[in-house]
Amino acid sequence: MPESSRAALHCAGLKVRYGGIEAVKGVTLSVQPGELVSLIGANGAGKTTTLKAIAGLIPVAEGSVFFHGEEITKTPAYRRPAKGLVMVPEGRGVFTRMSVIENLQMGAYCQSHSSQSSADIKALIEAQLALFPRLKERYKQLAGTLSGGEQQMLAVARALMARPRVLVLDEPSMGLSPVMVEKIFSVIRDVSQSGVTILLIEQNARLALEAADRGYVMESGLITSSARAQDLLADPAVRIAYLGESP
Ligand code: ATP
């Protein structure tokens, strides 16, 4: 069976351009069902651009994106969540003037299962509040008044309301305190263990690889290394370039 059919998510030779500049220069990567895969790399390596192309937020110049065997390269972004491909963008994108509960309800609107009853939605909300006790304590609060870490939790919880088959997270640790980063990663591991396939884009390479099954390293628009996460953590070149080890 070809990789494009076997994988939950598969990018083949993906190229993305901003005007004349090629930001992603032929990326091939796969995420198998149930896996947590991290894509790491320095600032400007092209991670967010790759992810936006996967989510359909920017056009693909060349190459293809497959989701559970179906080619979705040209599927509009708004149709992808209904297929089960859900993204948590960098910067979270929560609705700041809505309460925690209202944000969660919004997450259910892009549901693939449109026959969703209000009882189903209520049960989904209960599940998110059980996973994020911090949000439960603040369920009536406006999202804009939450801390950065709480907003990140809400963004993940809202994405889970869509019952993703594949969850794509862009820099969930961005701008958070070390304690909050730990909490967010603990939730990401829980979500992964509950069976959701995850592609995680992170600059915090150590945390991203410690949480992951496999990892890809991206440099200047290209994948330069891919291996089991524990092997990347032990790789001297990765340790020097991304884990702060002296040469
Ligand atoms: P970061 O962690 O800083 O977000 P990244 O690895 O996600 O980095 P990208 O944001 O994908 O990298 O950027 C890849 C390259 O594309 C960079 O050189 C960047 O300057 C460029 N780029 C990103 N967005 C645009 C845009 N809208 N227009 C033009 N160039 C862009």
Side-chain angles (χ1 to χ4, degrees), residues 37-61:
V37 171
S38 289
L39 176 60
I40 64 165
N43 246 337
K47 305 181 298 296
T48 296
T49 303
T50 302
L51 195 146
K52 283 184 174 166
I54 289 171
L57 297 171
I58 43 173
V60 169

Side-chain angles (χ1 to χ4, degrees), residues 5-6 17 33 50 54 101 117 138 141 158 172 184 192 196 243:
S5 321
R6 196 172 48 229
R17 298 190 187 106
T50 302
I54 289 171
I101 287 289
S117 71
R138 290 162 172 72
Q141 205 168 311
R158 190 183 58 187
I184 287 289
S192 165
V196 178
L243 304 178

Side-chain angles (χ1 to χ4, degrees), residues 199-219:
L199 175 61
L200 171 65
I201 274 81
E202 254 297 335
Q203 266 187 58
N204 188 330
R206 183 182 301 278
L207 270 175
L209 292 175
E210 280 172 358
D213 300 304
R214 282 190 307 116
Y216 289 91
V217 181
M218 193 162 185
E219 282 171 35

Side-chain angles (χ1 to χ4, degrees), residues 82-235:
K83 292 181 182 294
L85 177 58
V86 180
M87 176 178 173
V88 179
E90 189 178 322
R92 297 143 208 162
V94 296
F95 302 109
T96 53
R97 287 164 176 246
M98 289 184 175
S99 69
V100 166
I101 287 289
E102 286 164 343
N103 266 275
L104 293 178
Q105 285 165 342
M106 292 301 284
Y109 281 118
C110 60
Q111 269 275 11
S112 43
H113 319 280
S114 49
S115 58
Q116 196 77 349
S117 71
S118 60
D120 290 339
I121 293 177
K122 204 161 166 241
L124 267 171
I125 289 177
E126 287 302 325
Q128 304 324 317
L129 296 181
L131 188 61
F132 299 92
R134 193 74 164 243
L135 296 180
K136 188 170 186 173
E137 289 163 21
R138 290 162 172 72
Y139 74 101
K140 282 188 184 162
Q141 205 168 311
L142 290 185
T145 67
L146 298 174
S147 74
E150 289 159 359
Q151 288 190 22
Q152 184 66 62
M153 287 180 184
L154 181 55
V156 175
R158 190 183 58 187
L160 292 175
M161 287 294 294
R163 295 208 288 195
R165 297 170 82 190
V166 176
L167 185 64
V168 184
L169 297 155
D170 193 4
E171 301 274 4
S173 77
M174 176 80 89
L176 303 186
S177 68
V179 174
M180 266 302 172
V181 169
E182 260 311 315
K183 287 210 166 109
I184 287 289
F185 268 81
S186 152
V187 166
I188 292 170
R189 285 191 292 267
D190 288 349
V191 171
S192 165
Q193 271 158 23
S194 77
V196 178
T197 306
I198 298 180
L199 175 61
L200 171 65
I201 274 81
E202 254 297 335
Q203 266 187 58
N204 188 330
R206 183 182 301 278
L207 270 175
L209 292 175
E210 280 172 358
D213 300 304
R214 282 190 307 116
Y216 289 91
V217 181
M218 193 162 185
E219 282 171 35
S220 306
L222 287 166
I223 300 291
T224 51
S225 184
S226 94
R228 286 191 310 164
Q230 64 198 66
D231 294 338
L232 287 175
L233 279 167
D235 179 336

